[in-house]
Amino acid sequence: MISVNGLKKKFKLTKDHKKGIAEAQQDPREEKDYFHSVRDVHFHCEQGEVLGLLGPNGAGKTTTLRMLSTALKPDEGSIEVGGVDLVKKPLAGRKAIGFLSGSTGLYGRLTAKENVEYFAKLHGMKGAELKQRCDELFTLLDMHSFLDKRADNLSTGMKQKTNIARAVVHRPKVVILDEPTTGLDIMTTQTVINFIKSLKEQGTPVVFSTHHLDEVALLCDRVSVIDQGLTCFDGTLDAFKQQGRSEELNQAFMNILEEHRHV
């Protein structure tokens, strides 16, 4: 399982940004010389659960996910996977988490297969174990038709499948996906959705951010909503509908945001 508690992260404002603040409506997270991107974020995801991380653009989701990946160190708070605090032990975090973001890149001169195998070797995999795991992922993600193509020549969907295989090749304890279906066609989107379902069936907790609430309805057991750097909802999908006063997820989401901003 993954448990996130009291995450906070601020960034020092530049002179240009301060000048822009004077000319525009101030964000409540801007305070003196700092922008408090994440002010208090918390959620948890148990074995075999999928959690949808929601929020408007600029809410602090990406900063939160970068802290979960250990790319950023929180100013405060804890991130625990299986009882291990990844803030205190970031190396353990990189082994325990499979992370995919929109900025994750592939080595363009390597083939799809070589990219996945390279990252498997970085995690210490070799021999029969490496081959078996890669073959399993290539089948699950329907990758066999383009395994020998260089990454530079892959379509957007092919690259995303390769990125996902790269992120989970080491059998992580938790998988974190940042908008994994953005820009994909219907067929590739369905492959990614089926793969998330397979992770769930294996008991692997999955946290994924998305703006597509139909994916939340299809996949998620839990929902966490971040707004202006704060967790304004964290609970089951049914509780999300109840607090949002709507069975329609888009409307429930809007109602929760409106309620939070008028507290």
Side-chain angles (χ1 to χ4, degrees):
M1 65 163 286
I2 181 169
S3 179
V4 174
N5 290 289
L7 282 192
K8 297 182 181 181
K9 185 66 181 178
K10 66 178 184 288
F11 300 95
K12 194 168 181 63
L13 293 171
T14 65
K15 291 182 179 179
D16 288 342
H17 194 99
K18 291 178 185 177
K19 182 179 178 181
I21 292 172
E23 300 170 355
Q25 184 177 358
Q26 187 171 357
D27 188 303
R29 289 175 288 174
E30 291 161 354
E31 182 181 330
K32 294 184 179 179
D33 294 330
Y34 290 94
F35 178 74
H36 297 259
S37 178
V38 174
R39 297 188 283 171
D40 186 3
V41 164
H42 59 86
F43 57 81
H44 70 275
C45 187
E46 303 288 341
Q47 298 297 115
E49 287 186 336
V50 177
L51 180 142
L53 189 63
L54 308 179
N57 288 334
K61 300 190 304 299
T62 297
T63 301
T64 296
L65 292 176
R66 289 184 70 194
M67 287 189 281
L68 266 57
S69 75
T70 73
L72 282 178
K73 184 176 181 179
D75 297 326
E76 294 183 37
S78 64
I79 303 164
E80 294 187 359
V81 173
V84 177
D85 190 335
L86 308 190
V87 177
K88 297 178 180 177
K89 298 181 178 180
L91 184 58
R94 293 178 193 124
K95 294 179 179 178
I97 286 177
F99 181 75
L100 171 71
S101 75
S103 60
T104 303
L106 297 170
Y107 292 105
R109 298 184 66 180
L110 298 182
T111 65
K113 181 180 181 181
E114 288 168 342
N115 267 284
V116 179
E117 289 178 342
Y118 173 71
F119 282 96
K121 290 173 182 176
L122 287 180
H123 284 285
M125 300 176 72
K126 57 185 178 181
E129 178 195 20
L130 185 152
K131 184 179 186 306
Q132 180 182 358
R133 177 58 172 164
C134 287
D135 287 345
E136 175 188 350
L137 289 173
F138 297 155
T139 298
L140 278 171
L141 290 165
D142 192 21
M143 294 175 59
H144 288 288
S145 64
F146 60 86
L147 285 177
D148 295 323
K149 286 187 177 181
R150 283 188 177 186
D152 277 343
N153 299 324
L154 299 178
S155 68
T156 300
M158 293 173 182
K159 287 179 179 178
Q160 189 70 327
K161 288 181 181 182
T162 307
N163 271 323
I164 291 173
R166 177 202 64 76
V168 302
V169 69
H170 60 299
R171 300 185 189 276
K173 294 179 180 179
V174 176
V175 174
I176 298 169
L177 306 172
D178 187 4
E179 299 185 15
T181 62
T182 297
L184 304 184
D185 62 32
I186 294 173
M187 294 296 291
T188 307
T189 295
Q190 189 58 51
T191 299
V192 174
I193 286 172
N194 290 342
F195 183 68
I196 294 173
K197 288 180 178 179
S198 75
L199 290 171
K200 180 176 179 176
E201 290 169 1
Q202 295 165 23
T204 303
V206 178
V207 177
F208 81 102
S209 71
T210 182
H211 291 294
H212 303 293
L213 293 187
D214 56 329
E215 295 175 359
V216 172
L218 188 63
L219 294 168
C220 291
D221 304 283
R222 300 184 59 81
V223 176
S224 190
V225 181
I226 301 175
D227 185 40
Q228 297 178 338
L230 298 169
T231 297
C232 59
F233 176 84
D234 180 53
T236 65
L237 188 59
D238 287 340
F240 177 75
K241 296 175 184 176
Q242 183 176 359
Q243 184 169 323
R245 306 184 305 282
S246 177
E247 287 293 313
E248 202 278 308
L249 296 189
N250 283 329
Q251 189 58 54
F253 174 69
M254 296 302 296
N255 290 343
I256 286 172
L257 285 185
E258 183 178 4
E259 180 182 299
H260 174 247
R261 293 180 181 186
H262 287 85
V263 171

